Amino acid sequence: MSWPLVAALWVAPARAEQPATGSKSTVQQQEQQQDKPEGDISNLAESASSKHQLDSSLDSESEEAPPEFTIGPSEPVAPGERQWVRKFELSDLKSYFAEGELAKAKAAYDRGRYRVARQLLETQDATPPVRYLKAMSALRLGQWATAAEEFAALAEAHPPLRDYCHFEAARAYERMRKWTEAVQQYGAVSPTARRYVDARFGMAYLLEKKKRDYAGAVAALTPLVQSDSPKPNNPAQSEAWLTIARLARYQADYNGEHRAHLAVWALHPFSKEVSAAVKGLRDLPYVPKWKVARAETLLSLHHNREAMDLLERLLPKMQLPDELACRAQFAYGTALRKERKHSLAIQALRPVIEQCQDANLRARALYVLGYSEGVVEPDSAVATYLKLAQDYPEHPYADDALFYAAHKALERGNKAAAMGYLDQLIARYPDGNFASEALFERFMVYRAEGNSTAAFEALSRIEELKGRGSTHESVQRARYWRARVLLSMGRAEESHALMERVAAEGAATWYGLLARSRLTREAPERARTLLERLRSPASASNVWPLDAGNLAQDPHFVTGLELLKLEHREAPAELLAVDRRGRSEESIRLLFHILHASGYEGYARSIAWALRREGLAAPTEAETRLIYSMAYPHSFRNLVVQHSRAARVNPDLMQALIREESAFNPNARSPTGALGLAQLMPATAFAVARQLNVPLATSAALLEPQENIRLGSAYLGSLQRRFAGNPAYAVASYNAGPGAVDRWLSRNPDAELDEWVEQIPVEETRLYVKRVLGSAAAYQLLYASGSFTTLAFGERGSNNAGSR
């Protein structure tokens, strides 16, 4: 692909660009900031403290990340029928400097022979790649005026490199001590650009140190701290606040300095800047609203106990329905829910709903209250969820609330009411992420009634869904259970054909594992043929071409591709900055293959993890097996094999459990205090260590991989022995405790394994079992040389032999 085609793909950001020259320059805008009244920094800080720092993701018990890309699965299309949006071949990644004089020029540049590089480039057509390398050579030679002029001109002429060129032009002007021009170029960097943060700090530095324009420096940093979404781990924000505090002191704005230091203390409690902020706060008051903001931040970072201690000291001095008191009370109730102190959470949250006026806060409080009531007061939970759906029908939680109201009503035996709530959900929110869940809940009811026709229709409707409700997991689930219904209707051939499709397209998933296990029992010859296909994937030559879809319009994608062809070291980071929301699976696979083919395996791995989390079809193909191999690494494999075998646990099962628990992060800390790779609660680890007669586990020891894997393997092994080797029951116990699994088994004693898992009443545990066992299947698919493990289906769920 040539550079004009890359330029043609460019779509300018919706936000208007700041002109480098024109009627109102960036410098003029900065100068006008000086006319603003004193107290601006205080107002900026007060605005930050008034925003909720408690991330809405903490309202859910599972606290899973929202989907990155949400376009559901598509059916295979024959090559001749394909309608391409933007077709990409491997040749489209070819470097601009791959051959001829351009290759010589790039080689000279890489060796530091910048003058030679410029001389060679002078003989070439002045294409954007040639102009960019010439300007970079001038910069390296210290020809600041030439570099500044060439970068500034190229920024206007070639949009894919616009922000990089403005940034480099600013650096060149700095070297020439042309502060006004440098500020102007820094200010022209787009807010969506990766260089934006560095550009704003560059502006602030020059305005402060060189122009003594302290108000202008504050204005340069203001966009970095003005954010609708809290970012407590963002080092740029904490540094910006601390710099703003210093700038306030220079302007004798001591109130603003005080507030900026409080912002660091409250919004970035674990940043490297916090010690300087605390020093600056010496002998000054810690204002209540900042204490609430700090508690919310701590809660978002899962430091629950510390947040609760702070709130417990504050709440007696507050009175509802004061807005700040409402925030504090809601945060305290959420902390209690996170600590699973549900009765106390209910007591804290009900006054918020009764007395507070903020609509979004009340909706969130109803949602969290409904969860805690569902644990200890199920009848009350239905009314709470219905109130949320009725009072706030446009809120993102409205469809969730209808679903959970139906679920709780079914648990209480009120089938008619539950079906009514599900009908409302499907009618009002057909494109929502709970539409498929509602239809599947209806299927389970019809199946229990023996109404095969209605059950079959509910599953078929799931496969027809569009939008957020259509995911690979929801479609695979519908197809698996449709195959089960077909078998009960005496249509075995159709059932087995559908089971084979599920097993092939989801061989590394829970439903693929179930389907393969069913086929092994019901159609062994078909299963053998399928296993041969799984062992012998299609040729890797099938990877290209791929369709970029609407990804081709993303500015980061266009810029990243241009940088890749320029052999620029920031190309992979630019590609990783692509907005993946609303993209097709194929376009995300393209992103993976671009990074992988270019040798950036670390960046490609993060894409692979996202693909697997959102759903990935056809793992039997070589292309998708490559993605899976990066999404399922053998991290800590030697320790896993050593300790799992000692505990009589399948190493692939333990590897899968660690992957799902911590993503192989030894320092992982859960919202409830679980630690390390296998996410062990300290009390559990203490008990396991005592049983093993080894030194008792400490919190510090649990962050050591060897100790954590040893105790985690031993604990999983003990759970497997308790449940006669059944991996699903053992994994469920690992998440929810063996007592809970005993209760669920006694509640559904006749359920087969697949049905029993679907009926686990705790969503977090239900999804956890599917993920862990699906991941174990993935590890066997990718690395096992022997036979594949299959699940056994007994007449009674409690008598299942487990795996074989």
Side-chain angles (χ1 to χ4, degrees), residues 462-482:
I462 292 174
E463 296 185 55
E464 297 167 0
L465 287 175
K466 305 296 181 185
R468 291 183 298 148
S470 178
T471 65
H472 287 294
E473 197 273 343
S474 67
V475 171
Q476 271 204 321
R477 178 178 63 181
R479 286 174 178 162
Y480 171 81
W481 283 102
R482 189 155 60 87

Side-chain angles (χ1 to χ4, degrees), residues 104-183:
K104 294 179 182 178
K106 185 61 167 63
Y109 179 89
D110 291 340
R111 292 196 299 269
R113 300 176 65 188
Y114 306 119
R115 198 175 306 279
V116 172
R118 274 190 70 90
Q119 290 172 352
L120 289 169
L121 292 168
E122 291 287 355
T123 66
Q124 304 299 303
D125 293 338
T127 61
V130 169
R131 293 171 65 186
Y132 185 80
L133 194 60
K134 281 180 64 179
M136 286 300 298
S137 298
L139 194 69
R140 296 287 186 261
L141 286 167
Q143 297 174 356
W144 314 123
T146 300
E149 180 183 353
E150 291 181 355
F151 276 124
L154 185 56
E156 300 306 318
H158 193 46
L161 295 177
R162 176 186 181 279
D163 293 310
Y164 283 84
C165 289
H166 279 310
F167 189 84
E168 298 297 352
R171 293 173 61 199
Y173 280 124
E174 270 197 77
R175 293 302 189 99
M176 297 162 64
R177 305 178 68 82
K178 292 188 175 183
W179 316 127
T180 298
E181 290 82 355
V183 168

Side-chain angles (χ1 to χ4, degrees), residues 259-414:
R259 296 296 189 266
H261 280 143
L262 283 170
V264 178
W265 174 78
L267 310 183
H268 305 278
F270 302 108
S271 66
K272 64 184 179 63
E273 288 80 17
V274 75
S275 59
V278 170
K279 184 177 180 181
L281 289 168
R282 187 178 302 158
D283 300 326
L284 293 174
Y286 286 78
V287 184
K289 68 171 57 179
W290 287 105
K291 292 181 180 180
V292 173
R294 180 179 172 89
E296 291 172 331
T297 303
L298 290 168
L299 201 53
S300 292
L301 295 171
H302 308 316
H303 288 259
N304 305 338
R305 190 64 256 176
E306 191 175 347
M308 290 170 68
D309 289 344
L310 184 54
L311 291 166
E312 285 167 356
R313 294 193 296 271
L314 279 172
L315 284 169
K317 305 172 187 177
M318 294 181 164
Q319 181 101 29
L320 297 178
D322 177 76
E323 181 181 349
L324 187 63
C326 289
R327 276 177 59 188
Q329 189 84 3
F330 172 65
Y332 190 62
T334 302
L336 289 166
R337 193 275 299 163
K338 281 162 62 68
E339 290 291 298
R340 300 182 182 177
K341 297 179 179 179
H342 296 294
S343 296
L344 294 175
I346 291 169
Q347 294 177 26
L349 292 166
R350 281 178 177 164
V352 176
I353 293 158
E354 293 164 359
Q355 300 181 50
C356 297
Q357 302 302 313
D358 184 277
N360 185 56
L361 183 69
R362 289 188 76 243
R364 292 178 64 184
L366 283 164
Y367 189 72
V368 178
L369 174 63
Y371 182 89
S372 286
E373 287 178 336
V375 177
V376 296
E377 298 180 18
D379 289 328
S380 300
V382 174
T384 297
Y385 282 130
L386 290 177
K387 182 174 179 58
L388 169 54
Q390 178 180 341
D391 291 356
Y392 305 102
E394 303 303 319
H395 195 277
Y397 291 162
D399 56 341
D400 308 46
L402 282 171
F403 178 79
Y404 290 126
H407 191 70
K408 290 300 174 185
L410 282 173
E411 286 184 354
R412 311 305 290 169
N414 196 343

Side-chain angles (χ1 to χ4, degrees), residues 130 173 192 304 310 355 386 393 413 421 436 455 459 470 476 491 509 572 613 633 653 668 688 721 727:
V130 169
Y173 280 124
T192 56
N304 305 338
L310 184 54
Q355 300 181 50
L386 290 177
Y421 305 149
S436 62
L459 294 173
S470 178
Q476 271 204 321
R491 296 158 65 178
T509 68
R613 183 171 59 250
L653 181 62
V688 173
R721 290 189 292 275

Side-chain angles (χ1 to χ4, degrees), residues 10-224:
W10 177 259
V11 175
R15 183 165 176 173
E17 300 170 358
Q18 293 184 353
T21 59
S23 59
K24 180 184 275 191
S25 71
T26 303
V27 175
Q28 289 173 318
Q29 293 173 10
Q30 299 297 336
E31 289 171 349
Q32 290 179 7
Q33 297 291 335
Q34 299 181 48
D35 298 329
K36 289 190 175 182
E38 289 188 5
D40 282 347
I41 294 174
S42 294
N43 293 337
L44 175 65
E46 290 301 288
S47 175
S49 71
S50 67
K51 294 177 181 176
H52 291 276
Q53 309 302 317
L54 187 58
D55 196 313
S56 62
S57 68
L58 300 179
D59 297 348
S60 168
E61 177 71 7
S62 64
E63 299 173 12
E64 292 190 357
E68 289 192 356
F69 56 100
T70 54
I71 294 180
S74 57
E75 296 297 314
V77 178
E81 302 173 3
R82 184 69 185 266
Q83 299 295 317
W84 297 93
V85 176
R86 173 63 184 91
K87 184 178 180 180
F88 266 86
E89 300 279 4
L90 184 59
S91 58
D92 290 326
L93 309 181
K94 184 179 178 182
S95 167
Y96 290 128
F97 309 110
E99 55 193 21
E101 292 298 301
L102 292 181
K104 294 179 182 178
K106 185 61 167 63
Y109 179 89
D110 291 340
R111 292 196 299 269
R113 300 176 65 188
Y114 306 119
R115 198 175 306 279
V116 172
R118 274 190 70 90
Q119 290 172 352
L120 289 169
L121 292 168
E122 291 287 355
T123 66
Q124 304 299 303
D125 293 338
T127 61
V130 169
R131 293 171 65 186
Y132 185 80
L133 194 60
K134 281 180 64 179
M136 286 300 298
S137 298
L139 194 69
R140 296 287 186 261
L141 286 167
Q143 297 174 356
W144 314 123
T146 300
E149 180 183 353
E150 291 181 355
F151 276 124
L154 185 56
E156 300 306 318
H158 193 46
L161 295 177
R162 176 186 181 279
D163 293 310
Y164 283 84
C165 289
H166 279 310
F167 189 84
E168 298 297 352
R171 293 173 61 199
Y173 280 124
E174 270 197 77
R175 293 302 189 99
M176 297 162 64
R177 305 178 68 82
K178 292 188 175 183
W179 316 127
T180 298
E181 290 82 355
V183 168
Q184 197 174 56
Q185 291 295 323
Y186 278 135
V189 175
S190 304
T192 56
R194 288 187 58 254
R195 292 284 181 87
Y196 183 68
V197 171
D198 289 339
R200 303 311 287 190
F201 274 108
M203 283 180 68
Y205 173 82
L206 293 178
L207 289 166
E208 174 193 350
K209 302 296 185 181
K210 305 302 181 182
K211 297 176 72 68
R212 297 296 187 264
D213 179 2
Y214 303 130
V218 171
L221 294 175
T222 294
L224 303 184

